[in-house]
Amino acid sequence: MGKRPNQDGATRPNNGNAAQARQKDEEVRINEAITSPKVRLVGDNIQQPGIYSLSAAMKMAEELQLDLVEISAKADPPVCKILDYQKYLYQQKKKAKEMKANAAKVVIKEIRFGPNTDEHDFQFKLKHAQEFLADGAKVKAYVFFRGRSILFSDQGEKLLLRFAVELEDYGRAEQMPKLEGKRMIMMIAPIKKK
């Protein structure tokens, strides 16, 4: 097939080896790497969307000086679009970067109590929890029961509930305290500032 001009007039190679190398990198088949004998063409630049033979679809892509890109390989027949593959890759990377930037990174800080935590320790840990919540981190508060101290699980529950009440101005409890093995756990999420 040789070289052909792209939209800006520059030439780029259009051979099977380049397409196969890109396929391995991106997991998307383009041009000669598409193996299905028939494809379903979709897109704005197609006058009559529908099922075409691979050779007819490739010819249409060549006439438009674009690439034939398989966007859904699992469909029967595979769904393809005729578009500028490099521009498509750029847009996919840009979209992934935006999604990553918008995704809030959740930090979880753990605070551990014993079933008989004294008042001074409670206040000390409460102060740390307030700082964590003010910084936007979640707090995982738990009471760890050693040996027979599991008999005092009601004391652990009271301690965690008091902890949640003391932190009402900074965060809200996502769940009631629940016993998991030798731990009674409660998650507290920060209150979003307006």
Side-chain angles (χ1 to χ4, degrees):
M1 287 179 109
K3 293 185 175 190
R4 63 186 167 131
N6 62 12
Q7 287 177 333
D8 58 4
T11 58
R12 67 175 182 230
N14 184 23
N15 58 27
N17 295 340
Q20 288 169 350
R22 282 188 286 202
Q23 174 202 354
K24 288 175 187 168
D25 291 345
E26 303 300 329
E27 298 290 326
V28 174
R29 291 187 210 159
I30 66 166
N31 299 329
E32 292 83 6
I34 299 170
T35 55
S36 176
K38 292 189 176 199
V39 295
R40 180 180 302 276
L41 274 181
V42 296
D44 299 334
N45 55 359
I46 309 296
Q47 282 84 24
Q48 295 177 333
I51 297 173
Y52 291 86
S53 69
L54 181 60
S55 58
M58 290 287 292
K59 188 175 182 192
M60 288 171 74
E62 240 179 271
E63 287 170 3
L64 293 170
Q65 296 183 339
L66 296 171
D67 298 303
L68 182 66
V69 181
E70 189 177 67
I71 56 171
S72 178
K74 293 183 175 124
D76 186 29
V79 179
C80 293
K81 272 188 173 182
I82 294 177
L83 46 84
D84 183 348
Y85 184 66
Q86 294 304 318
K87 188 175 178 182
Y88 170 76
L89 285 181
Y90 172 76
Q91 288 171 339
Q92 293 296 97
K93 286 178 185 174
K94 189 175 174 184
K95 199 183 294 181
K97 191 175 180 182
E98 284 175 8
M99 285 176 63
K100 189 177 178 183
N102 293 339
K105 291 174 177 65
V106 179
V107 177
I108 299 176
K109 299 285 190 173
E110 290 189 358
I111 294 185
R112 177 178 162 173
F113 293 100
N116 299 317
T117 301
D118 65 11
E119 186 61 27
H120 177 265
D121 285 345
F122 180 84
Q123 292 301 325
F124 182 77
K125 291 176 183 192
L126 181 67
K127 185 179 169 198
H128 281 286
Q130 289 169 347
E131 290 172 12
F132 296 151
L133 291 168
D135 290 342
K138 283 187 177 185
V139 173
K140 179 180 183 179
Y142 65 93
V143 178
F144 186 76
F145 299 100
R146 273 202 188 97
R148 293 185 54 159
S149 68
I150 195 82
L151 299 172
F152 304 106
S153 62
D154 57 330
Q155 275 183 280
E157 187 174 5
K158 286 178 191 171
L159 184 76
L160 289 176
L161 290 172
R162 178 180 166 212
F163 192 65
V165 169
E166 296 271 347
L167 290 171
E168 273 182 345
D169 295 339
Y170 300 91
R172 59 173 178 71
E174 289 186 331
Q175 64 186 32
M176 293 301 286
K178 67 178 182 185
L179 194 62
E180 292 180 1
K182 292 186 173 198
R183 290 177 167 193
M184 184 171 283
I185 299 170
M186 184 168 70
M187 290 293 286
I188 300 170
I191 294 174
K192 289 186 172 70
K193 295 175 178 81
K194 291 171 185 164

